[in-house]
C-alpha cells in the first residue's frame, strides 16, 4: 500500500494516513463452523439442536448419514476453488464489487469429534489420532471447520462456497461438477444452497506494511 505519509522504516508515527479498515486490507480469513451429527433411527428432516446446547446459533447443524460428510471429496473440490477465478457463480445479489474476479489463497477443512454426554460420547479413548473415532456411537457429532483465506471476497461468497462444499460432502454433486459446471458457468443458480449466516466468523484481517 503506497502512502506518502507513512514510512515503514521509521519509528515515528505519521500524523495522517489514507487508510480504510475494509478497503486497505490485503488479506482476510473467514472461518465457517458446521456441526454434523448422526443419531440412528432419527428422522433426517427434523431440526437437530438437542443434546448440544452450546452450539445453538453458533454453527450450522446438519444431520448426516452414518459416515458423515465426505471430507476427502470436500478437500478435492476446495483445491479446485483455490486460485484467481471469476466467482460469479458464488456472488450474492446486489454485490457492489466492480469485478467478480478475486483470489482465494487457501481453503482448509478439518473435523474433530464434539464431546457431549447428551449423545453418548463419554470417553476420550474413543478418539483416534487422526481425529476420527473407533466407534460411531461415540462419534455421533463432529465439528467441521472450513477456513478460507483470500485477498478479497464478493458479497456472500464465503457462505455460497461453504454451501457448495457441503453438497460435495453429502455426495449430491462431485468435485468434477464444481470444476466443469459450476465455476465456468458464472451463474449463481448453478452453485446450490447458501450456508446460513450463524456459522460464519471473520477470523483475521491483514494490512500489508501497516501495524494495527
Amino acid at each position: 500500500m503506497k502512502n506518502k505519509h507513512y514510512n515503514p522504516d521509521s519509528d515515528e508515527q505519521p500524523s495522517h494516513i489514507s487508510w480504510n479498515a475494509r478497503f486497505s486490507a490485503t488479506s482476510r480469513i473467514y472461518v465457517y463452523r458446521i456441526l454434523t451429527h448422526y443419531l440412528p433411527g432419527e428422522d433426517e428432516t427434523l431440526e437437530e439442536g438437542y443434546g448440544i446446547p452450546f452450539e445453538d446459533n453458533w454453527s450450522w447443524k446438519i444431520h448426516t448419514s452414518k459416515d458423515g460428510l465426505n471430507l476427502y471429496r470436500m478437500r478435492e473440490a476446495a483445491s479446485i476453488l483455490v486460485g484467481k477465478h471469476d466467482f460469479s457463480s458464488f456472488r450474492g445479489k446486489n454485490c457492489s464489487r466492480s469485478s467478480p474476479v478475486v483470489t482465494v489463497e487457501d481453503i482448509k477443512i478439518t473435523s474433530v469429534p464434539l464431546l457431549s454426554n447428551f449423545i453418548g460420547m463419554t470417553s476420550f479413548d474413543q478418539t483416534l489420532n487422526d481425529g476420527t473415532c473407533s466407534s460411531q456411537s461415540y462419534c455421533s457429532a463432529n465439528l467441521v471447520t472450513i477456513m478460507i483465506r483470500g485477498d478479497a471476497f464478493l458479497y456472500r461468497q464465503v457462505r455460497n462456497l461453504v454451501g457448495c462444499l457441503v453438497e460435495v460432502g453429502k455426495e449430491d454433486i462431485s468435485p468434477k461438477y464444481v470444476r466443469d459446471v459450476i465455476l465456468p458457468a458464472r451463474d449463481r443458480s448453478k452453485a446450490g444452497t447458501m450456508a446460513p449466516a450463524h456459522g460464519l466468523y471473520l477470523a483475521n484481517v491483514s494490512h500489508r506494511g501497516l501495524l494495527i
Side-chain angles (χ1 to χ4, degrees), residues 112-183:
V112 294
L114 188 67
L115 302 180
S116 171
N117 290 332
F118 290 97
I119 49 179
M121 293 177 288
T122 59
S123 173
F124 283 100
D125 295 334
Q126 300 294 331
T127 304
L128 303 180
N129 292 331
D130 62 356
T132 60
C133 287
S134 58
S135 171
Q136 184 62 42
S137 63
Y138 282 88
C139 272
S140 51
N142 288 275
L143 184 63
V144 177
T145 302
I146 302 177
M147 182 179 296
I148 304 178
R149 186 180 79 241
D151 62 349
F153 291 96
L154 306 174
Y155 181 53
R156 292 183 173 172
Q157 179 186 346
V158 173
R159 290 168 60 192
N160 288 327
L161 287 171
V162 170
C164 177
L165 291 173
V166 166
E167 289 192 355
V168 173
K170 289 181 175 180
E171 301 187 357
D172 293 336
I173 60 175
S174 67
K176 185 176 183 294
Y177 186 82
V178 176
R179 182 192 66 200
D180 297 342
V181 178
I182 294 179
L183 198 56

Side-chain angles (χ1 to χ4, degrees), residues 185-199:
R186 299 172 185 171
D187 180 352
R188 174 67 195 98
S189 65
K190 300 293 185 182
T193 304
M194 179 174 64
H198 55 257

